[in-house]
Amino acid sequence: MLEMYRNAPMHEEAVRCLSALGSTRDSDCIAKLLAMTFTDEIRTNDVYIVYMKLGARNTTRPVAWQFFQDNYSKIMEVFGEGQFLLARMVSVTTKGFSDSSRADEVQAFFEKNPIEQAARNVKQSVEAIRGNAAWKAREENSVNDFFSNLK
């Protein structure tokens, strides 16, 4: 898939390939893909696709969020001030969490490392995480019962 991405004759095809690459569950591929976001290999305005795909799944969202935190300075250099993509990256990387502790973590991180153009996205993500956590706490037993009764 990486070769298909690299050799895509049209940008739309490259975006589809990048989306597929972001759907991997292989930790080595994920690490390589995230590292590629700092290279010329992925267009700056397509980087959010990597974060969006990784942020969409419970298994890869924590990896993308940790990478964002660990590489915050470099991310700010590349996507910093004035970049609307940074706000999008914040949203797609964080708002799918469903534990209150993650809401606290996201809020604390951005209080320490504020991003002016993403302030609204941070607030919305923290609210979404808290809402997800409340729904999970309220409905988890019902959902588990439903699926256990499908047998």
Side-chain angles (χ1 to χ4, degrees):
M1 188 58 60
L2 185 56
E3 285 308 310
M4 287 177 69
Y5 169 75
R6 289 177 173 151
N7 297 314
M10 296 175 47
H11 181 251
E12 292 81 12
E13 188 176 334
V15 167
R16 283 191 294 274
C17 291
L18 189 59
S19 182
L21 286 165
S23 297
T24 185
R25 290 189 171 108
D26 182 276
S27 58
D28 291 335
C29 290
I30 292 167
K32 185 175 183 176
L33 188 60
L34 285 166
M36 284 172 56
T37 63
F38 293 126
T39 70
D40 292 338
E41 197 158 8
I42 298 177
R43 293 168 118 182
T44 303
N45 57 336
D46 291 339
V47 167
Y48 84 93
I49 294 166
V50 173
Y51 284 92
M52 179 181 64
K53 294 304 286 188
L54 295 175
R57 289 190 323 279
N58 292 338
T59 55
T60 54
R61 183 178 311 115
V63 176
W65 170 234
Q66 189 62 55
F67 184 87
F68 187 96
Q69 292 175 91
D70 293 346
N71 294 279
Y72 173 77
S73 296
K74 193 165 186 173
I75 288 170
M76 290 304 292
E77 281 177 35
V78 176
F79 306 100
E81 301 306 316
Q83 284 274 358
F84 72 94
L85 292 171
L86 187 57
R88 190 178 285 180
M89 287 166 54
V90 168
S91 291
V92 299
T93 305
T94 59
K95 76 192 299 185
F97 285 120
S98 59
D99 294 304
S100 326
S101 62
R102 285 291 192 177
D104 296 339
E105 179 184 326
V106 169
Q107 188 168 12
F109 178 83
F110 288 110
E111 284 174 357
K112 185 178 175 188
N113 305 285
I115 302 174
E116 185 178 331
Q117 70 270 34
R120 178 194 227 173
N121 299 74
V122 170
K123 184 178 179 184
Q124 290 172 340
S125 286
V126 169
E127 287 174 4
I129 297 167
R130 293 197 193 289
N132 293 343
W135 182 90
K136 182 178 161 185
R138 185 181 65 245
E139 302 296 337
E140 188 169 27
N141 289 337
S142 297
V143 171
N144 288 337
D145 288 346
F146 172 81
F147 283 109
S148 65
N149 290 327
L150 286 179
K151 296 178 185 178

